[in-house]
Amino acid sequence: QVQLVESGGGLVQAGGSLRLSCAASGNIARINTMAWYRQAPEKQRELVASISSDGSTKYSDSVKGRFTVSRDYANNTVTLQMSSLKPEDTALYSCYANVHGRWGYQYHPWGRGTQVTVAS
């Protein structure tokens, strides 16, 4: 079993910044990819940013240049630094991980999410 817990969401004015964190715990031997997704009302869930085990990052076009994803390997956490926020960034942000545990287990857990609301 692996659990992901997000934190850092809240209400912010347009142009402001927020920093989201996601901490993984449980049966973790190695984490491959960690990623942030978001889902707004009446929209499908979309990939925001991801970071692989070698540090390679990917971003959606809509956040490129404004968001930065980073990783703390020692503490099994991933962070999303969000700057120049826009109202269209308003969504529930959820953390995902691809995890290899002990005894041959693999996990693909999701966090419950943290709400980000950007006021115009």
Side-chain angles (χ1 to χ4, degrees):
Q1 184 84 301
V2 174
Q3 299 82 36
L4 304 179
V5 179
E6 303 98 334
S7 62
L11 175 64
V12 65
Q13 297 296 123
S17 300
L18 282 174
R19 185 172 182 171
L20 308 183
S21 295
C22 171
S25 61
N27 181 18
I28 301 171
R30 178 174 174 266
I31 300 180
N32 294 322
T33 299
M34 301 188 78
W36 287 97
Y37 288 77
R38 69 184 181 188
Q39 187 166 24
E42 301 182 340
K43 289 188 175 182
Q44 291 186 314
R45 185 174 62 189
E46 64 173 340
L47 175 67
V48 178
S50 66
I51 183 165
S52 64
S53 58
D54 66 358
S56 299
T57 58
K58 295 181 179 179
Y59 298 93
S60 70
D61 289 340
S62 62
V63 308
K64 197 172 300 179
R66 300 187 297 119
F67 292 8
T68 301
V69 64
S70 60
R71 186 169 170 175
D72 183 338
Y73 294 90
N75 292 295
N76 292 320
T77 61
V78 62
T79 298
L80 185 67
Q81 178 65 51
M82 310 165 66
S83 301
S84 301
L85 283 162
K86 305 174 181 179
E88 50 263 46
D89 294 319
T90 295
L92 181 71
Y93 285 71
S94 299
C95 181
Y96 162 86
N98 180 341
V99 180
H100 287 170
R102 296 187 67 184
W103 311 112
Y105 286 96
Q106 291 193 58
Y107 305 94
H108 305 275
W110 289 86
R112 289 187 176 273
T114 184
Q115 179 67 36
V116 172
T117 302
V118 184
S120 61

